[in-house]
Amino acid sequence: MTLTVILFAAARELAGADSIAVELSPGATAADLRAELAQRVPALAGLLARSALAVNHDFADDVLVLRPSDEVAVIPPVSGG
Amino acid sequence: MIRLTREAIDYHALTESVRDPHCGAVVLFLGTVRDLTGEQVTVFLDYEAYAPMAEKKLAEIEAEVRRRWTVGEIALIHRLGRLAVGDVSVAVALSCPHRGGAFDACRFAVDTLKELVPIWKKENAPDGSGEWVHQCVSASREHQRPEKT
């Protein structure tokens, strides 16, 4: 399945794109997506390790199984407020 | 009430909007853009948000405040886009029957907002360079570390 991962702030700048399409096997987890993303975009790996993932607007644990319809985003450490 | 806006925040109107005849205390918190971070001079900030998730998290914070404290009314507004030094980036206003709850609830709302809401700021220096502010590790990522369990 192909998932489009939305990028924000420094993640967007490091990747040079608003989003990245990632190919995953059925049953892949958020952890698998992290690994695939880090491999696809090595420049993003360092920040990615310190970032959360959001799936359908909620923070996702690494063990979460992903579905083709999921909206996924990289959430670097936030700095609002 | 929660809102993301690109307009200047009218915090006077916001404060009035949370007043309640059953409440004897109203607290307003304003986050304002500072000119210095350590020794680094800031000339302006850029704020961006993952809007649908930010709105969801702000609504969850409102719900949690209402669950933990007796609240008359509460409003949380965060501004996005380019802000100058002195501009108000965030406002949290609420009313409670008594001041203890009002202070505690406002503190909780602001602290939780700063930990969980997907909003980021970029500090822009006089030389034109800009840097996104990302502290060490995402709070949500911290909770998954083995040593935390």
Side-chain angles (χ1 to χ4, degrees):
Chain A
M1 56 182 173
T2 303
L3 285 176
T4 300
V5 183
I6 308 169
L7 303 174
F8 292 97
R12 182 184 61 251
E13 289 186 359
L14 286 167
D18 289 342
S19 63
I20 300 279
V22 174
E23 278 296 324
L24 295 168
S25 309
T29 64
D32 295 326
L33 184 141
R34 280 183 183 276
E36 185 62 28
L37 196 52
Q39 193 176 57
R40 275 285 312 277
V41 191
L44 193 50
L47 179 61
L48 185 58
R50 301 189 288 116
S51 299
L53 284 181
V55 175
N56 302 328
H57 308 154
D58 273 317
F59 289 107
D61 288 337
D62 280 354
V63 299
L64 181 72
V65 174
L66 300 172
R67 298 164 304 176
S69 60
D70 285 339
E71 177 172 308
V72 183
V74 173
I75 310 292
V78 301
S79 48
Chain B
M1 183 273 279
I2 65 102
R3 187 188 303 159
L4 300 175
T5 180
R6 304 191 81 88
E7 308 293 321
I9 297 172
D10 182 347
Y11 49 88
H12 297 289
L14 197 73
T15 308
E16 286 302 304
S17 76
V18 302
R19 291 180 65 183
D20 184 307
H22 298 305
C23 293
V26 176
V27 172
L28 169 70
F29 171 82
L30 298 180
T32 60
V33 178
R34 284 180 295 143
D35 55 2
L36 282 178
T37 300
E39 292 185 354
Q40 179 61 50
V41 174
T42 295
V43 287
F44 60 90
L45 295 184
D46 290 312
Y47 276 99
E48 78 173 40
Y50 182 16
M53 185 177 175
E55 289 175 339
K56 185 173 184 176
K57 291 298 155 194
L58 287 170
E60 288 175 3
I61 292 170
E62 173 174 358
E64 186 64 13
V65 168
R66 289 182 182 279
R67 195 185 67 80
R68 296 192 190 200
W69 289 276
T70 302
V71 171
E73 195 50 80
I74 175 172
L76 304 97
I77 297 188
H78 203 299
R79 188 174 170 188
L80 304 175
R82 181 151 292 181
L83 272 68
V85 170
D87 281 348
V88 174
S89 54
V90 63
V92 175
L94 54 83
S95 59
C96 286
H98 303 286
R99 69 186 185 284
F103 283 129
D104 290 347
C106 190
R107 180 75 197 243
F108 172 83
V110 176
D111 285 354
T112 308
L113 183 156
K114 291 174 76 65
E115 184 181 333
L116 293 181
V117 178
I119 295 175
W120 302 270
K121 69 180 175 186
K122 185 176 191 178
E123 293 175 341
N124 298 280
D127 66 0
S129 64
E131 193 174 320
W132 288 102
V133 177
H134 297 307
Q135 277 80 46
C136 301
V137 179
S138 162
S140 175
R141 191 94 182 104
E142 278 275 333
H143 297 157
Q144 292 190 59
R145 284 185 172 172
E147 57 265 33
K148 289 280 184 180
T149 59

